[in-house]
Amino acid sequence: MTAPAGVRARAHVLARGDGRGGTVLPVLEGEGPLTVRRTRGSGAEARVVLVGAMSGPLGGDHFTVTAEAAPGARLRVGSAAATLALPGQGKAGARYDVRLTVGEDAELHWLPEQLISAHGSDLRVTTRVDLAATARLLLREEQVLGRSGEQPGRLTSRLTVRIDGRSVLDQELACGPGAPGGWDGPAGLAGHRAVGQLVVARPEFATAPPTARVLAGGAAVMPLAGPCALVTAVASDALRLRRLLDEALASLD
């Protein structure tokens, strides 16, 4: 039997409340190109950084990252650098799956650096989030289509969010060669090469949801059907995109 092409790698982070107002990390595991490191936290929050040990994902690779903030825990997960999707030796596409779970009275900040879709790559990203009714979430996704001066690869990204078992968001974006027509037209990215979003879940949004609005610069805020809001933005480059998302987040406070 022929072994599957590409690298299979997993990382798993579990955060629990320590019963004294802090957070412990009983599980902190990574393999292959997915290395996980604990960094200095702040107050009750534990902080973790994903460190890419090699380039990728390449065509044929399949990475899976799971992170759970158990009831009462406070967890922040970031990455040491941008993720660069590259073409592999074969024609197979790559997959990157993210599974996030946040329990009652727990909080998760999922704040990786940008995902860059290099020319010739083919990557499918799926992010699934399950939140308890009183959970808090700040999730950031930033995607850059192509490195400087190059055309993008194929990038398909699906994000689903459930709160207390009920779906509040299920969306998919496909960009680059082979994506459905119109992805770069006026109803899509309109020529922009950086696209991003924030998902913000706070229990207080159940009674005082944010107002739907378009902010200066082009970011849009939309309340969802639950204690949750979605911020979306497009920009000419990654730096401008991060600025728009930061400004939109500040407007929610």
Side-chain angles (χ1 to χ4, degrees), residues 101-236:
T101 305
V102 190
E104 297 288 354
D105 192 34
E107 182 170 353
L108 172 63
H109 287 195
W110 180 260
L111 302 170
E113 294 302 312
Q114 297 89 355
L115 168 62
I116 302 172
S117 175
H119 179 65
S121 65
D122 184 357
L123 176 63
R124 181 173 184 87
V125 181
T126 62
T127 302
R128 187 177 68 212
V129 186
D130 285 285
L131 305 174
T134 58
R136 292 177 174 270
L137 173 75
L138 172 59
L139 178 148
R140 182 179 69 210
E141 286 190 342
E142 298 170 313
Q143 296 156 353
V144 180
L145 305 181
R147 292 169 292 191
S148 178
E150 75 173 6
Q151 293 298 308
R154 172 71 182 268
L155 177 62
T156 304
S157 175
R158 183 172 182 181
L159 171 62
T160 60
V161 178
R162 298 193 308 169
I163 299 179
D164 198 23
R166 182 164 63 104
S167 293
V168 299
L169 178 66
D170 190 342
Q171 68 175 26
E172 183 171 288
L173 175 67
C175 305
W183 69 269
D184 203 23
L189 301 186
H192 294 91
R193 285 296 173 264
V195 57
Q197 56 194 352
L198 300 172
V199 179
V200 184
R202 299 172 181 170
E204 56 266 30
F205 285 171
T207 55
T211 302
R213 60 195 185 277
V214 176
L215 304 176
V221 178
M222 181 176 67
L224 301 177
C228 194
L230 174 68
V231 175
T232 57
V234 294
S236 57

